[in-house]
Each structure stands twice: as structure tokens, then as C-alpha cells.
Amino acid sequence: MEWPADHHIFIYQVEADLLWKREHPSDFFHPLIIIYFLGQLLLLVTIFQKTPGKKLTDAAIACLSCIMLLLLFIGLLGLKLKMILCSLPFVLTAVITIVNYKRQKT
């Protein structure tokens, strides 16, 4: 993520700061943060299932999409190539996963 005055940070660094270096415990309870961590938890559950459920995978993708599409949108508005390139792998993987589930259904 990038913002003016040449500040930048990776998403995993933000996650680590939220989990271990919380200055304000209320920072963790922002709806976007809770939804993002819920999406990661759901994705982790689907990884360890013998046959991942479509509904659980879709829910995980939807939760993670909230923040990743927001980052993509911000990157597109500000023409921040790093932010765009950082969020594109998730978007492409999500689209491929959804398309594969639809193909299996037919």
C-alpha cells in the first residue's frame, strides 16, 4: 500500500502490526479488518478440507475481495503501478476459481 509523502507498507506488515504491535486494541475491530481476517480464516479452513466446499471458498473470496478490490481501485485511481500489480494476482486467482466452479457445475 502507498500513500502520499512517500509512505508505503506491505499488507503482511500491516497484519503483523495489528496482531502483535497493537497500540490501540480498537484498531482490530474495524469492519474491513474483521472481514479480511475472517476471509483468511475461511480460506485456511478450505485448504485443509479433503474436498473444499464451494460455498466456503466463495465466502472466503468475497471477504478477501473487499480489501483487495479496494486496493486495486485506489491503485487505479492514483496510477500506482505497485498497488495494481500487488492486487492483480488475487483478482485473477479469484476469477479463475469462480470460473472453474461454474464449469464443474455444468
Side-chain angles (χ1 to χ4, degrees), residues 26-54:
S26 63
D27 292 346
F28 188 76
F29 296 107
H30 189 279
L32 274 178
I33 294 171
I34 291 174
I35 291 170
Y36 182 74
F37 279 120
L38 177 66
Q40 284 186 338
L41 181 68
L42 290 173
L43 198 58
L44 190 65
V45 168
T46 61
I47 287 173
F48 291 111
Q49 289 180 336
K50 200 171 228 180
T51 55
K54 180 189 179 313

Side-chain angles (χ1 to χ4, degrees), residues 28 66 99:
F28 188 76
C66 292
V99 167

Side-chain angles (χ1 to χ4, degrees), residues 56-100:
L56 204 57
T57 305
D58 286 345
I61 289 172
C63 289
L64 292 171
S65 292
C66 292
I67 191 101
M68 295 307 291
L69 291 176
L70 179 66
L71 291 176
L72 177 64
F73 181 69
I74 292 169
L76 289 171
L77 282 179
L79 298 174
K80 304 280 185 184
L81 187 61
K82 289 180 186 177
M83 286 182 73
I84 295 169
L85 293 176
C86 177
S87 55
L88 276 181
F90 172 81
V91 173
L92 293 174
T93 303
V95 168
I96 289 170
T97 302
I98 292 169
V99 167
N100 280 337

